[in-house]
Amino acid sequence: MNNLKDKCVVLAVSGGIAAYKAIELLRLLTKSGADVHVIMTRSAQEFITPLSFQTLSSNPVHTELFNLISEREIGHISLADRADLFVVAPATANVIGKIACGIADDMLTTTVMATKAPVLIAPAMNVNMYTNPIYRENEARLGRLGYLFVAPVCGALACGWEGQGKLAAPEVIFEAALAALSDKDLAGRTIMVTAGPTREEIDPVRYVSNHSSGKMGYALARAAARRGASVILVSGPTCLPVPTGVEPVLVVSAREMQAAVMSHVNRCDVVIKAAAVADYRPVERKTTKVKKQHDAITIELVKNPDILAGLGAMHQRPFLVGFAAETDNLSEYAAKKMKEKNLDMIVANDVSQADAGFNAENNRALLLFRDGRSEDCPLMSKDALAERILDRIATELNGDRG
Ligand code: PMT
């Protein structure tokens, strides 16, 4: 799942300095299509006004327990029933303690207790409260009961202390919300994704590379993690943050990528090679900066190892998905690559147009399968294409095609 279209999310805000960050979380939730209903505790209203949440959610904000939405509906039960997901952010030690002990004495705690939707809790508090054994026991108890947590991060806290207790970033909580609502059809699988470009150094300051941003590979890694897979992300240099729950292996050159891939491949069920590996590297890397002495210079290049072909030649190999970036004869060249590299599936990318492929937000592709089937994927976000590719992989792995 890469959006929250048609989902009803209850966002419960409790009292803490981080309450203002719930505004950004609300923005991410509504942008992704969710119908968001906000509950605020009395102390949350000391930090931020209901009007901000009401304006951004386009829904009335719930602050009182005994407030009839209509003559026939009781507010907290109605909200609890309608929720597809319940997010408590920020959640104070007090609110978490009450939920853990089954205390329902205000709109927030009563609605949490009445809901059957998954509940995602993002704590924020002083570091000593967070490490207090009473709090730890409450969190562990809720964890055992299936409540989901997004751990706070370390940093300077509003109370003056340093340590773990800062509310996780709104983007991280949003990602956890998507994960909470995603089918876990890849649970128990280990998937390696390669992403980004490789850099082949000429000297200490220059390199040969390409325009890959890593967005396609990172979207695949993020989506696979949401769907329950253990994900290893072997990434060339990019500016992207490592997705939550993903094991990063950061490399620079093609040969480093090859070493990383080969050292992890034996524990993988699937390898998806979205990386744009540099086909050639300079024969020699100069140890000092090459001086501008001549009008023209020649750099001799040598072929890099083909990592994907190496995987395809393995005696016992995982399910292999390659990518093919082409500017012409897309289907023909991609099919040839799939055959030559012994792949199960290939994602053929037409990179001749600026709106897709390298360093674009969106992508369009032709999926080719080993048995000759093909599927056209029109222009869509890289997140959506990642979900589509994983749908097909899950079908092949779980053998439920047709
Ligand atoms: O990173 P983005 O900006 O989001 O852009 C995404 C993308 C365009 C880079 C991606 O969608 C894509 O098409 N990646 C593959 C690019 C590429 O290198 O294609 P290729 O046709 O040169 O290689 C074919 C396959 O062999 C690829 O799976 C590649 O990872 C693999 N390969 C290639 C060379 C090599 N030495 N080793 C390899 O494993």
Side-chain angles (χ1 to χ4, degrees), residues 12 39 41 65 86 94-96 98-99 102-115:
I39 298 175
T41 62
L65 184 53
F86 208 104
N94 175 53
V95 157
I96 293 167
K98 282 204 235 172
I99 299 172
I103 296 172
D105 65 352
D106 63 5
M107 183 67 184
L108 190 161
T109 48
T110 312
T111 316
V112 172
M113 185 155 255
T115 194

Side-chain angles (χ1 to χ4, degrees), residues 272-301:
I272 309 175
K273 284 221 75 258
V277 184
D279 290 318
Y280 293 90
R281 67 176 184 276
V283 169
E284 185 194 0
R285 178 195 181 274
K286 305 283 187 206
T287 52
T288 53
K289 185 179 169 192
V290 176
K291 289 287 163 210
K292 266 191 300 187
Q293 285 162 340
H294 309 287
D295 288 343
I297 60 165
T298 302
I299 299 171
E300 197 183 347
L301 301 175

Side-chain angles (χ1 to χ4, degrees), residues 115-193:
T115 194
K116 292 202 163 196
V119 179
L120 177 67
I121 298 177
M125 64 194 74
N126 163 272
V127 60
N128 295 331
M129 292 168 87
Y130 187 66
T131 51
N132 185 308
I134 300 173
Y135 172 78
R136 304 263 27 108
E137 221 170 281
N138 287 337
E139 185 179 310
R141 176 176 159 76
L142 289 172
R144 283 194 302 277
L145 292 170
Y147 288 73
L148 304 165
F149 280 83
V150 185
V153 294
C154 290
L157 304 174
C159 52
W161 282 77
E162 281 276 329
Q164 191 171 9
K166 269 171 93 78
L167 183 71
E171 293 76 12
V172 173
I173 303 172
F174 174 69
E175 184 58 39
L178 289 176
L181 289 173
S182 293
D183 279 350
K184 299 291 179 263
D185 58 352
L186 294 172
R189 308 285 186 181
T190 300
I191 299 186
M192 175 157 45
V193 179

Side-chain angles (χ1 to χ4, degrees), residues 212-214 216 273-275 305 307-308 323 337 341 349 359 382:
S212 170
S213 61
M216 189 67 238
K273 284 221 75 258
I307 307 167
L308 190 51
F323 269 70
K337 278 181 185 166
K341 301 190 190 201
N349 260 180
N359 202 15
K382 286 182 176 173

Side-chain angles (χ1 to χ4, degrees), residues 193-199 209-219 233-240 251-253 257 272-278 358:
V193 179
T194 70
T198 65
R199 282 182 191 167
S209 190
N210 58 63
H211 292 296
S212 170
S213 61
K215 286 177 192 163
M216 189 67 238
Y218 277 59
L233 175 63
V234 179
S235 174
T238 75
C239 301
L240 304 174
V251 299
V252 177
S253 68
M257 184 171 279
I272 309 175
K273 284 221 75 258
V277 184
F358 286 100

